[in-house]
Amino acid sequence: MSTELDRIAELAREDGQRQFLSIAHLLTPEALHRAFKALRKDASAGVDGVTYAESAANAEENVRKLYERLKGKRYRAQPLRRTYMPKENGEQRPISIPALEDKVVQKATMELLNAIYEQDFLPCSYGFRPGRSAQQALDEVGRIICRKGTSYVLEADIRGYFDAIVREPLLEMVERRVRDGSLLRLIRTWVNVGVIDDGRLLVSETGTGQGQIISPLLANIYLHYVLDEWFEQEVKPRLRGRAYEVRYCDDFILCFQYREDAQRVLRVLHQRFARYGLELHPEKTRLIEFGRTAAANARRRGEGKPATFDFLGFTHIGARSRRGRFTIHVRPMRKRRRRGLKGISAWCERHRHDPVSEQCGALNTRLRGHYPYYGRPTNYRSLWQFYRSVRRIWKKWLNRRTRGKTFTWTNFAALLARHPLLRPYIAHSWVGTGSPA
């Protein structure tokens, strides 16, 4: 972080009510060039069709011209290009892709705003923050439930969060800290810019355009005031027992010591969110008993196994360690696992006639992406199941290209000896949430 940003962070940390009136001048050519270099090199182009590689050929000149337009207030954000990604439930998730120069300005602005808001955001927030990750959020869930006497977990899901954010309250929240007119005009432009979808310009009244670089920060600011600060300062002091929150952007859980506290919060949470245009998904939001006594209570009620909950791609399961202590085991959510294997099968089908060495390299790239995220200590068996499933899929599609000759497991074993698939490994150490199983 530059000296100027260090100073802004220090001032924000010293006074939580301080408003920053003049900071847009820190969007310098150096800051814009640093933002350009930090962009993803393989990211999709926006409506202007300009890719990173094309702009990199004359980066300094492009950045200089962009800076002159910003300084002269001639910069105009371009409409977003709408594309769609398949969701786990079969629906399509809209993604809005900004033009390259808009990415540059947003990246530089986000760095500037992070210096302020990182002093405000609470420890319960982990998503899209410098030095924080989903793995840390998962570690914290384990620590809270195993060490803090949690008995109930509220698993929550916000319906269409990025598209539901109400812009005026969002901008009012930003203005609590930032009163620089130039920066506010930029943010207002980005949240109100239209979207090109199938050749048509669409303009909506709500949302921040999921896919814009600035959107995760704005989404964090919104939920910081709507949820985090409210839960910490207004809700928790009124509860009978202990309560905790862990949030990763719009994905969060609330943990409670007592059921009556959890039920009260669930009731008022609906009202609180409705006030800001948000809605909890009725089918994905539920309160469950989860903790040391959940299994015994479920058996006493004749319910069999206790409930589990999903968070950040993992199903969390109450278990006992070798020493008999309560702990949490995690498994990949079934729909995530099915989606991953379905994608690998589709890839193998399309590329079954490629050279075997290239197929092996591509599959290992996918496995290298899977293990670092899902390689948690209690998930080793599931990693091996995933690995064996990938082997079976690969063998199946290699067998389809043998033109009637059966590709036996003996043949496949010999092929694997020459072109091995990456074996599973645990990427994260045990963090002491309980005792290792």
Side-chain angles (χ1 to χ4, degrees):
M1 186 180 290
S2 68
T3 304
E4 294 87 351
L5 294 184
D6 283 334
R7 180 57 179 159
I8 287 176
E10 181 182 351
L11 292 172
R13 188 164 49 249
E14 289 175 352
D15 182 0
Q17 304 301 318
R18 181 186 293 274
Q19 294 182 325
F20 293 86
L21 307 178
S22 179
I23 53 177
H25 65 277
L26 296 178
L27 295 178
T28 61
E30 293 75 21
L32 294 175
H33 197 265
R34 186 168 59 246
F36 174 77
K37 291 193 293 185
L39 295 179
R40 278 183 50 195
K41 312 301 185 286
D42 59 345
S44 300
V47 293
D48 58 355
V50 178
T51 64
Y52 184 93
E54 292 170 348
S55 185
N58 196 18
E60 291 188 9
E61 179 66 14
N62 292 334
V63 166
R64 186 189 63 79
K65 291 180 179 179
L66 177 58
Y67 171 73
E68 292 297 333
R69 282 190 284 127
L70 272 173
K71 184 178 178 181
K73 294 184 170 45
R74 291 178 284 106
Y75 163 79
R76 298 290 182 270
Q78 300 184 55
L80 307 171
R81 181 173 69 86
R82 174 65 53 82
T83 186
Y84 293 89
M85 293 180 60
K87 296 173 66 174
E88 294 158 354
N89 59 8
E91 298 177 357
Q92 297 287 314
R93 183 191 306 278
I95 302 295
S96 304
I97 303 174
L100 185 75
E101 66 174 22
D102 295 330
K103 294 178 184 178
V104 172
V105 183
Q106 288 185 22
K107 186 76 171 178
T109 302
M110 186 179 70
E111 185 180 39
L112 177 54
L113 295 179
N114 269 337
I116 300 170
Y117 286 102
E118 276 301 305
Q119 318 315 314
D120 294 350
F121 291 154
L122 302 183
C124 63
S125 170
Y126 289 86
F128 303 104
R129 293 182 58 189
R132 296 196 147 219
S133 69
Q135 296 298 331
Q136 292 174 332
L138 291 165
D139 291 343
E140 183 64 9
V141 169
R143 276 191 288 264
I144 288 173
I145 294 178
C146 293
R147 295 182 177 183
K148 304 293 186 180
T150 293
S151 298
Y152 294 89
V153 171
L154 176 57
E155 177 187 358
D157 182 88
I158 305 175
R159 192 196 292 269
Y161 175 59
F162 281 85
D163 292 330
I165 292 174
V166 185
R167 293 167 184 167
E168 284 309 313
L170 169 64
L171 292 168
E172 291 171 4
M173 294 170 188
V174 173
E175 288 177 11
R176 296 186 190 185
R177 281 297 226 169
V178 178
R179 297 303 296 268
D180 186 308
S182 297
L183 273 187
L184 292 174
R185 278 192 296 273
L186 285 176
I187 296 172
R188 188 176 293 274
T189 296
W190 291 327
V191 298
N192 287 307
V193 71
V195 176
I196 300 294
D197 189 352
D198 195 23
R200 296 175 299 162
L201 177 62
L202 306 178
V203 179
S204 63
E205 298 296 327
T206 60
T208 62
Q210 188 172 3
Q212 294 199 85
I213 289 177
I214 199 70
S215 289
L217 174 60
L218 297 178
N220 267 338
I221 292 171
Y222 203 65
L223 277 184
H224 168 74
Y225 290 110
V226 174
L227 176 63
D228 303 350
E229 198 176 75
W230 169 76
F231 187 72
E232 185 68 27
Q233 298 179 4
E234 298 185 35
V235 174
K236 288 171 68 172
R238 292 180 169 87
L239 299 181
R240 173 188 167 203
R242 293 185 294 270
Y244 306 90
E245 175 195 354
V246 181
R247 180 174 69 83
Y248 191 91
C249 199
D250 61 323
D251 196 359
F252 70 95
I253 63 167
L254 302 178
C255 304
F256 300 90
Q257 183 179 7
Y258 297 117
R259 183 181 185 87
E260 56 265 35
D261 286 343
Q263 291 174 328
R264 285 176 58 198
V265 171
L266 180 57
R267 285 195 296 270
V268 298
L269 190 61
H270 282 281
Q271 301 168 8
R272 174 73 177 178
F273 276 13
R275 179 179 169 186
Y276 291 93
L278 305 179
E279 179 186 3
L280 290 172
H281 197 298
E283 298 175 2
K284 298 179 182 179
T285 300
R286 62 196 184 109
L287 176 63
I288 65 167
E289 184 177 11
F290 193 96
R292 309 178 178 278
T293 60
N297 291 341
R299 286 194 299 270
R300 187 165 55 249
R301 294 191 299 265
E303 297 175 356
K305 293 183 179 181
T308 63
F309 69 91
D310 295 331
F311 185 60
L312 295 180
F314 286 94
T315 297
H316 292 65
I317 306 164
R320 294 285 169 181
S321 71
R322 294 190 187 98
R323 299 189 182 98
R325 298 175 182 173
F326 176 77
T327 187
I328 296 176
H329 288 184
V330 294
R331 302 287 182 269
M333 292 168 55
R334 289 183 180 178
K335 58 185 179 182
R336 292 280 182 95
R337 184 177 182 274
R338 285 196 300 266
R339 183 180 66 179
L341 292 175
K342 184 178 179 181
I344 288 174
S345 182
W347 186 93
C348 287
E349 180 183 6
R350 292 194 306 271
H351 296 272
R352 63 185 182 275
H353 295 296
D354 291 358
V356 171
S357 60
E358 294 181 12
Q359 293 187 49
C360 179
L363 290 175
N364 278 333
T365 296
R366 289 173 177 259
L367 292 174
R368 286 191 190 96
H370 185 85
Y371 298 155
Y373 189 81
Y374 291 102
R376 296 186 66 82
T378 61
N379 194 41
Y380 194 53
R381 182 180 298 177
S382 294
L383 293 180
W384 271 100
Q385 291 173 347
F386 188 85
Y387 167 78
R388 287 192 288 267
S389 295
V390 172
R391 283 194 316 186
R392 285 194 298 269
I393 290 169
W394 194 23
K395 177 185 178 296
K396 168 188 170 181
W397 289 109
L398 288 175
N399 188 54
R400 296 289 182 90
R401 72 177 197 172
T402 57
R403 298 184 180 179
K405 297 179 181 179
T406 302
F407 190 62
T408 66
W409 278 103
T410 301
N411 300 139
F412 187 54
L415 182 144
L416 285 175
R418 298 191 304 273
H419 305 283
L421 292 177
L422 184 64
R423 289 175 173 261
Y425 61 90
I426 297 299
H428 305 280
S429 60
W430 190 271
V431 294
T433 56
S435 294

